[in-house]
Amino acid sequence: MKKISIRNSFFYVLFLFIAVGCVGTKTNKNKVIVTNIPSKIENLDSIALSNTPTLFELSPQGNKWVDSVYSAMTLEEKFGQLFMVAAYSNKDSAHIKAIDTLITDHKIGGLIFFQGGPVRQAKLTNRFQSKSKTPLFIGSDAEWGLGMRLDSTYSYPWNMTLGAIQDMKLLEKVGVQIGQQNKRLGLQFNFAPILDINSNPKNPIIGFRSFGEDKFKVTAHAIALMKGVQSQGIFSTGKHFPGHGDTDTDSHKKLPTINSSKEQLQNLAFYPYKKMFHEGLSSVMVAHLNVPSIEPRPNFPSSISYNVVTDILQKELGFKGLIFTDALNMKSVSEFKLPSEINFEAFIAGNDVLLFPENVPAAIEKFKFAYSINLFTEERLAFSVKKILKFKYKANLNNFKPIATENLYTDLNSVENEALHYELYENAITVLKNTAAVLPIKNLDKQKIAYVKMGDDNNDVFVSTLKKYTEVTVISDVNLDSLQVKLHPFTTVIIGYHKSDVAFSNHDLRLDELAKIKFLAQNNTVILDVFAKPYALLPIINFEDIEGLVVSYQNSAVAQVVSAELIFGAIEAKGKLPVSINTSFNVNDGLPTEKLNRLGFTTPENVGMNSRILSKIDSIATKAIDAKMTPGIQVLVARKGKVIYQKSFGHHTYDRTIKVQDSDIYDVASLTKIIATLPNVMQQYDQQKINLETTLGSMSPIFKDSNKANINFKDLLSHYAGLVAGIPFYKATMNKSQSPSDVYFRKIAEEQFSKKLGDSLFIRNDFSDTIMKMIVESKLSLKKEYKYSDLTFMILKDYLEKTTGKPLDVLIQENFYRSLGMNNSSFNPLTKFDKNRIPPTETDTYFRRQLLQGYVNDLSAALEGGVSGHAGVFSNAMDVAKIMELYLQKGNYGNRQYFSEKTFDDFNTCYFCAAGNRRGVGFDKPQLGAVGPTCGCASMTSFGHTGYTGTMAWADPETQIVYVFLSNRTFPIASENRLSKENIREDIQRVIYEAIIN
């Protein structure tokens, strides 16, 4: 009877206390509810719990610190430790002063930071810690990284995206990085991972925050993430107990109801908790839920339920860690009672830390009053406060050191973050349909691909990456019939559904979008790529007409890059669907796809390179442009089949009107030799039509009776045949006034003058025969020595055309460029490309007397109508890299064998190195002495070529590096080659090799 009278007295006094507004709380229209709690909360240390292991044991010194700090506290200070208040680094001084007051006057125990920025938060943390007598807990909801709350910090993929990943080591790596960033910012608690099993697709507040609907997968992912975080000394918090996955109500707005039986909860919602308690989960956050099966009081929030927090979480499940409430300002609980009542109810229910409380001073007054009438004991208070202090000691807060703000931004945004981001999407993106193996797209030479955008978010990265693989045409039209007319010529239509990556944004397909997908799928071969939550697919009733279905989960730049890689086979599909989509697709569905050895994209760190060192390329390229060695530059670096650096610098000309873009195409000059003529010659060799000893006389009848008849193939391509370096063919075409002669040229195209070498300048079609005649009749050195000659590849061009019956420009497109996806490469580019994509190479003042833009710079090649074996190709760095990668893969690209490995090895051999000739068969090779085409750091198995216009392409089998440098250094006048004298290309190559880690 004594206990009952105390209880009744307490609530009588409490009613008067609230009614007169002594605590200054807001008015609450709800009636005062008599709290149904045990009259005395027992100390759970004295209760025999389950066999859940103890989280950690403090050293005697640690226990001494806890006891001494606790003993020195006043009662109010002990109450203060229970409160973890919301703090913002983007609010004004009034907010900061209010926090100061709570720390100095009410001795609160911690802060949970919300919106703001990292440096501002670090400074505030230092300020607040300096004012606190007992060190503060600092926590944050960094579910997908600090970027969930802070600007200028990193965001990882959402949990549902991570739920598609099968490799738990990657999840642990995410946890490690998040833990490192939390620690760097002075946090002790990361309020994650989400343990909710999202069994309700309409869940408005969990959804994408969940790892999925399979309890085993959710648990495995959560354990891996937790282990990573806690390995860095950061405490993880599993949430939202007893399970927030099966509801369609947002607990921030109203109290959700969970209608599961206790048996169902035990089997499903509790499962991750039970497993994680044995794996060392540090803390649990209790949600505000109405769960009738475990809390019989109607609409009574689980967060203030003794049965939920104490009887079930601590006694039945045996949890021994720290227990947090969910934010106590949420309407699901804040509208239930007065703030002061809610805080007290939460403590009495068994929570240790009251998160985001409202009106802390009033709450502490209520605690004092309740304690004064013996409603709870010192033993109960000590149970939570000492537990809090133990965690603070474990977090080394007893030796708190201020957060260093220097380099904070850099430390939080490490290059390793982006490297992991690529790995995550490479393992997450999921293929759900692949009818007739439409994925990956093969046989590019037989494909005509269109892209149609849907959704309201950005798609630039996806489209630009698609276009790096082959020609992809963006098609749009608001009218479906008109759209279909435009799509009719295309073999494959890629539909990209792009929705915002902003958390909680609506990803639902509209009715008109559903109709559009249905219409396009019925009339085309379609690949639908969904850059949205998988639940976006729910309204699609029938997937039968969709050949390829890809779920990319989010619309980040990395997701767009990696998804394009998958579509073209640079990576294989590994992801598994974390949730079911009606009856169409089940959880864990996901099809593997074939990996084609096409170039992909990633960060330097993922292929054993250091991006910080690699970034030195920027300054070298900028130096060259600032010194007017060239107006613009493209640089590409690939390693291990992945492009890791691709940048464009400067402008097309020095007037700085058009910036260089990655898609711009340059006159690559002598790179033509190895990216157009040589691959076709290698196929001839591979087909045994020629060999290393084949003589020029047998290859080409016009040389049969010449002084060059006995030159063999190996000598010819090793520049060891004694040919002259070049012949000024143009002189034969000039009249007495040193202008182009009417005998050879016309200003307007005619039937016999159709080869164009400049604006209003056409040459006789048969002048190529004259060129070959001059080569046949040219002198030949009797001395066996190395002499570089363009004539070699002019001869080979003539050989190829006469052997195959096709012009070289047609031959290279048919045999290589189309199937390789080199859609930005061509002879005579003005017939295919916009002139504004082509940086000019020179203002010709001696022959054509015009700006050369889209016309080959090399005059000998120009006299052949822009198509020659030694010059004439225009290309960009990405396309050049493809054919260099083909060489690096010994004739294979896109899982297509263009020539045998033996053929490549034969051509990449230096046969005359002993005689001082570094050349391979067609390829240039590293210098044998101090001077040569490379930095001197490339291996002797490396190969490539340089070009007169300021170009270079080099590949190294030993390091698996491809390096491409393109420029128009000859603009406006091809005078002194300062780009070469200053070793710009070589210095960049040296940086590339310095950046190799392993």
Side-chain angles (χ1 to χ4, degrees):
M1 293 298 294
K2 181 179 179 182
K3 288 183 180 179
I4 294 174
S5 62
I6 291 174
R7 178 184 178 82
N8 291 337
S9 298
F10 167 71
F11 284 105
Y12 173 75
V13 175
L14 179 63
F15 174 78
L16 293 174
F17 192 58
I18 295 170
V20 298
C22 293
V23 296
T25 58
K26 66 182 180 182
T27 303
N28 193 307
K29 296 180 181 179
N30 296 338
K31 63 180 181 180
V32 176
I33 298 174
V34 176
T35 310
N36 180 19
I37 57 171
S39 59
K40 180 179 178 182
I41 305 300
E42 63 266 59
N43 178 7
L44 292 176
D45 282 340
S46 64
I47 297 175
L49 302 178
S50 71
N51 62 350
T52 305
T54 301
L55 284 173
F56 55 82
E57 294 287 351
L58 293 186
S59 65
Q61 183 180 1
N63 287 318
K64 183 178 180 181
W65 182 86
V66 170
D67 291 340
S68 64
V69 171
Y70 183 83
S71 299
M73 286 179 172
T74 65
L75 184 63
E76 290 83 354
E77 288 173 341
K78 293 172 184 175
F79 293 147
Q81 286 299 299
L82 304 173
F83 295 90
M84 198 164 183
V85 175
Y88 300 78
S89 59
N90 65 348
K91 288 194 174 183
D92 59 16
S93 58
H95 170 73
I96 296 171
K97 289 177 182 178
I99 301 295
D100 285 344
T101 300
L102 290 173
I103 293 170
T104 56
D105 295 0
H106 301 287
K107 306 299 187 292
I108 59 171
L111 299 170
I112 173 174
F113 271 98
F114 287 88
Q115 285 71 29
V119 175
R120 288 171 287 165
Q121 180 171 314
K123 289 178 178 179
L124 284 179
T125 299
N126 289 340
R127 171 191 177 117
F128 295 145
Q129 290 285 21
S130 70
K131 292 179 179 292
S132 183
K133 178 180 177 183
T134 304
L136 298 162
F137 274 150
I138 306 294
S140 183
D141 294 299
E143 293 172 20
W144 54 85
L146 294 172
M148 180 174 176
R149 296 299 188 203
L150 302 178
D151 61 39
S152 308
T153 54
Y154 205 78
S155 291
Y156 295 87
W158 297 330
N159 282 352
M160 188 155 287
T161 306
L162 299 180
I165 296 172
Q166 305 305 299
D167 185 353
M168 295 304 101
K169 290 181 180 178
L170 289 173
L171 271 291
E172 193 165 344
K173 285 175 71 174
V174 174
V176 167
Q177 288 191 3
I178 290 176
Q180 290 170 342
Q181 293 157 22
N182 286 350
K183 193 167 189 175
R184 179 67 180 85
L185 195 54
L187 274 65
Q188 294 79 48
F189 279 90
N190 183 21
F191 295 121
I194 298 277
L195 303 186
D196 302 315
I197 297 162
N198 203 70
S199 53
N200 189 337
K202 295 182 180 179
N203 195 320
I205 192 60
I206 303 303
F208 70 95
R209 297 165 67 197
S210 167
F211 289 113
E213 66 180 60
D214 182 293
K215 69 178 184 180
F216 302 109
K217 291 291 183 70
V218 168
T219 302
H221 285 71
I223 288 172
L225 192 70
M226 174 201 73
K227 284 185 174 180
V229 170
Q230 295 195 163
S231 72
Q232 302 306 303
I234 300 296
F235 300 122
S236 285
T237 306
K239 59 185 186 184
H240 306 82
F241 189 82
H244 206 318
D246 188 16
T247 178
D248 56 7
T249 303
D250 182 354
S251 55
H252 292 83
K253 299 176 181 178
K254 58 187 293 189
L255 186 68
T257 295
I258 304 294
N259 289 313
S260 303
S261 68
K262 185 173 182 180
E263 183 181 2
Q264 289 172 324
L265 290 171
Q266 288 279 8
N267 183 54
L268 189 66
F270 293 177
Y271 182 84
Y273 292 93
K274 290 186 283 187
K275 290 292 183 181
M276 291 190 74
F277 294 165
H278 285 272
E279 295 290 341
L281 180 65
S282 298
S283 56
V284 166
M285 182 181 291
V286 183
H288 312 309
L289 301 168
N290 174 39
V291 193
S293 63
I294 56 176
E295 173 48 69
R297 286 170 288 183
N299 297 314
F300 198 86
S302 52
S303 55
I304 58 175
S305 164
Y306 183 88
N307 193 48
V308 172
V309 181
T310 298
D311 287 342
I312 295 176
L313 179 58
Q314 297 183 75
K315 292 182 181 179
E316 289 184 23
L317 301 183
F319 183 61
K320 299 183 175 80
L322 212 56
I323 302 174
F324 292 82
T325 65
D326 204 343
L328 292 171
N329 72 323
M330 292 165 64
K331 290 185 178 181
S332 54
V333 67
S334 65
E335 292 184 347
F336 186 70
K337 291 186 177 184
L338 293 173
S340 56
E341 291 179 306
I342 290 297
N343 292 310
F344 182 69
E345 292 270 8
F347 172 71
I348 294 300
N351 293 287
D352 300 307
V353 182
L354 313 176
L355 202 62
F356 207 149
E358 295 182 300
N359 204 334
V360 172
I364 290 177
E365 288 300 314
K366 183 166 185 176
F367 272 80
K368 288 167 62 178
F369 179 76
Y371 184 78
S372 70
I373 60 173
N374 298 320
L375 190 63
F376 65 94
T377 66
E378 168 76 16
E379 189 178 27
R380 167 66 186 95
L381 181 62
F383 176 73
S384 286
V385 176
K386 284 192 174 184
K387 193 195 296 186
I388 290 168
L389 293 174
K390 286 178 180 179
F391 272 80
K392 289 186 175 183
Y393 185 88
K394 182 68 175 177
N396 204 34
L397 280 173
N398 56 307
N399 293 314
F400 173 77
K401 294 179 182 179
I403 304 160
T405 56
E406 186 178 358
N407 298 322
L408 179 59
Y409 173 83
T410 302
D411 293 344
L412 295 178
N413 293 279
S414 165
V415 293
E416 284 75 21
N417 301 354
E418 195 80 349
L420 179 57
H421 208 142
Y422 270 91
E423 287 190 88
L424 296 173
Y425 275 105
E426 287 167 1
N427 284 268
I429 295 178
T430 306
V431 172
L432 292 179
K433 280 202 72 181
N434 193 16
T435 304
V438 69
L439 292 165
I441 298 175
K442 302 176 183 177
N443 303 318
L444 299 181
D445 50 336
K446 299 176 183 177
Q447 292 277 359
K448 190 173 176 63
I449 302 169
Y451 165 83
V452 176
K453 183 195 175 185
M454 294 180 61
D456 53 12
D457 205 34
N458 191 281
N459 66 335
D460 291 348
V461 175
F462 185 54
V463 173
S464 65
T465 308
L466 290 174
K467 289 183 175 182
K468 289 179 181 180
Y469 284 100
T470 191
E471 185 173 356
V472 176
T473 306
V474 177
I475 303 292
S476 63
D477 201 300
V478 293
N479 181 277
L480 289 183
D481 291 329
S482 299
L483 179 62
Q484 185 54 42
V485 169
K486 294 178 181 178
L487 291 173
H488 181 71
F490 294 90
T491 58
T492 303
V493 177
I494 299 169
I495 302 173
Y497 180 60
H498 301 265
K499 298 297 288 184
S500 172
D501 256 8
V502 174
F504 304 107
S505 57
N506 187 347
H507 285 190
D508 295 344
L509 282 158
R510 303 190 310 264
L511 290 177
D512 61 311
E513 290 173 327
L514 289 167
K516 189 173 185 178
I517 291 172
K518 181 179 180 181
F519 177 83
L520 293 178
Q522 288 174 340
N523 291 281
N524 304 276
T525 297
V526 159
I527 296 169
L528 174 62
D529 198 337
V530 179
F531 295 91
K533 304 161 194 168
Y535 291 132
L537 295 171
L538 285 170
I540 301 177
I541 298 172
N542 189 344
F543 292 87
E544 185 177 344
D545 292 324
I546 298 173
E547 283 79 12
L549 180 59
V550 182
V551 180
S552 295
Y553 297 97
Q554 293 178 242
N555 199 39
S556 70
V558 174
Q560 293 186 42
V561 169
V562 175
S563 194
E565 286 185 277
L566 184 147
I567 287 173
F568 284 102
I571 63 166
E572 59 189 311
K574 298 179 182 178
K576 300 290 184 183
L577 196 63
V579 294
S580 56
I581 305 299
N582 298 321
T583 58
S584 300
F585 302 104
N586 298 318
V587 65
N588 297 322
D589 277 357
L591 303 171
T593 56
E594 183 181 1
K595 184 180 185 299
L596 308 179
N597 56 344
R598 290 179 179 142
L599 281 170
F601 304 89
T602 191
T603 63
E605 281 66 26
N606 283 339
V607 291
M609 302 281 281
N610 185 310
S611 58
R612 296 179 185 89
I613 296 174
L614 211 56
S615 68
K616 294 178 182 178
I617 294 173
D618 296 19
S619 60
I620 298 173
T622 302
K623 166 189 166 184
I625 292 167
D626 290 346
K628 294 194 173 180
M629 300 178 201
T630 179
I633 294 171
Q634 285 182 355
V635 180
L636 182 146
V637 182
R639 191 180 191 210
K640 298 179 181 179
K642 296 284 190 179
V643 175
I644 56 171
Y645 182 101
Q646 185 181 11
K647 286 189 180 182
S648 294
F649 302 88
H651 298 77
H652 285 201
T653 61
Y654 290 116
D655 63 10
R656 301 170 64 85
T657 55
I658 303 176
K659 284 187 175 182
V660 179
Q661 305 293 329
D662 290 348
S663 57
D664 290 341
I665 53 178
Y666 280 86
D667 180 343
V668 301
S670 284
L671 297 193
T672 300
K673 296 179 173 73
I674 66 167
I675 73 169
T677 310
L678 192 63
N680 282 298
V681 170
M682 293 171 82
Q683 284 193 338
Q684 293 288 309
Y685 181 90
D686 203 55
Q687 295 163 14
Q688 298 182 358
K689 294 179 180 178
I690 49 176
N691 59 55
L692 294 179
E693 302 306 322
T694 300
T695 62
L696 195 50
S698 62
M699 286 176 62
S700 184
I702 62 172
F703 288 100
K704 189 173 182 181
D705 297 320
S706 74
N707 58 354
K708 303 170 184 68
N710 294 323
I711 295 174
N712 68 37
F713 184 76
K714 179 169 63 178
D715 288 357
L716 180 68
L717 271 85
S718 299
H719 297 277
Y720 211 51
L723 298 177
V724 296
I727 299 172
F729 302 106
Y730 74 96
K731 289 185 178 180
T733 68
M734 299 181 80
N735 59 25
K736 291 181 180 179
S737 61
Q738 299 301 299
S739 297
S741 169
D742 292 342
V743 175
Y744 295 101
F745 299 98
R746 295 287 187 273
K747 292 183 178 180
I748 299 174
E750 298 178 9
E751 185 177 353
Q752 299 302 319
F753 292 80
S754 63
K755 292 184 176 180
K756 194 173 185 181
L757 64 160
D759 291 338
S760 302
L761 191 61
F762 298 85
I763 192 168
R764 279 172 54 160
N765 296 346
D766 61 0
F767 191 70
S768 292
D769 297 336
T770 302
I771 286 175
M772 288 310 300
K773 184 174 183 297
M774 293 172 72
I775 292 173
V776 170
E777 295 173 353
S778 64
K779 292 180 180 180
L780 190 68
S781 173
L782 298 177
K783 186 178 180 181
K784 192 79 168 176
E785 63 180 355
Y786 163 68
K787 180 177 282 189
Y788 180 76
S789 175
D790 282 341
L791 303 187
T792 294
F793 283 87
M794 298 177 81
I795 292 168
L796 291 172
K797 181 247 186 184
D798 182 73
Y799 160 74
L800 288 168
E801 292 185 340
K802 288 177 178 174
T803 300
T804 64
K806 295 179 180 180
L808 180 59
D809 56 341
V810 172
L811 204 60
I812 189 61
Q813 291 289 346
E814 290 182 354
N815 289 345
F816 289 90
Y817 288 177
R818 289 174 190 162
S819 56
L820 288 171
M822 291 177 65
N823 52 298
N824 295 294
S825 300
S826 176
F827 289 95
N828 292 318
L830 292 175
T831 61
K832 293 181 61 177
F833 305 112
D834 188 318
K835 191 174 184 178
N836 288 327
R837 286 184 58 191
I838 310 170
T841 52
E842 188 178 6
T843 301
D844 184 340
T845 59
Y846 60 94
F847 190 82
R848 285 170 278 185
R849 293 181 172 85
Q850 60 184 264
L851 178 68
L852 301 181
Q853 186 174 10
Y855 299 108
V856 62
N857 178 269
D858 185 279
L859 188 48
S860 296
L863 293 172
E864 292 199 78
V867 182
S868 186
H870 72 292
V873 169
F874 286 70
S875 188
N876 63 14
M878 186 69 213
D879 272 15
V880 173
K882 291 176 186 177
I883 202 159
M884 296 305 290
E885 185 68 20
L886 178 147
Y887 287 137
L888 207 56
Q889 295 172 170
K890 296 191 174 186
N892 194 292
Y893 192 86
N895 286 19
R896 176 171 173 174
Q897 198 72 40
Y898 289 83
F899 46 79
S900 69
E901 292 188 13
K902 180 183 181 302
T903 291
F904 172 77
D905 289 338
D906 288 349
F907 277 68
N908 190 35
T909 298
C910 177
Y911 292 97
F912 304 107
C913 274
N917 178 358
R918 69 173 188 260
R919 295 277 174 169
V921 179
F923 294 115
D924 199 358
K925 301 282 288 175
Q927 57 264 43
L928 301 176
V931 180
T934 75
C935 57
C937 43
S939 75
M940 293 309 296
T941 61
S942 70
F943 57 91
H945 219 286
T946 56
Y948 177 76
T949 53
T951 61
M952 182 176 184
W954 211 267
D956 192 336
E958 293 189 20
T959 56
Q960 299 180 63
I961 284 176
V962 169
Y963 164 45
V964 181
F965 179 103
L966 303 181
S967 76
N968 55 335
R969 71 98 195 158
T970 49
F971 183 87
I973 298 173
S975 55
E976 181 185 19
N977 190 349
R978 293 175 57 217
L979 193 78
S980 179
K981 287 187 176 181
E982 295 286 339
N983 295 316
I984 296 299
R985 292 170 292 187
E986 296 87 337
D987 286 350
I988 288 177
Q989 189 178 39
R990 181 172 288 105
V991 166
I992 295 167
Y993 278 78
E994 288 173 355
I996 296 174
I997 302 168
N998 54 57

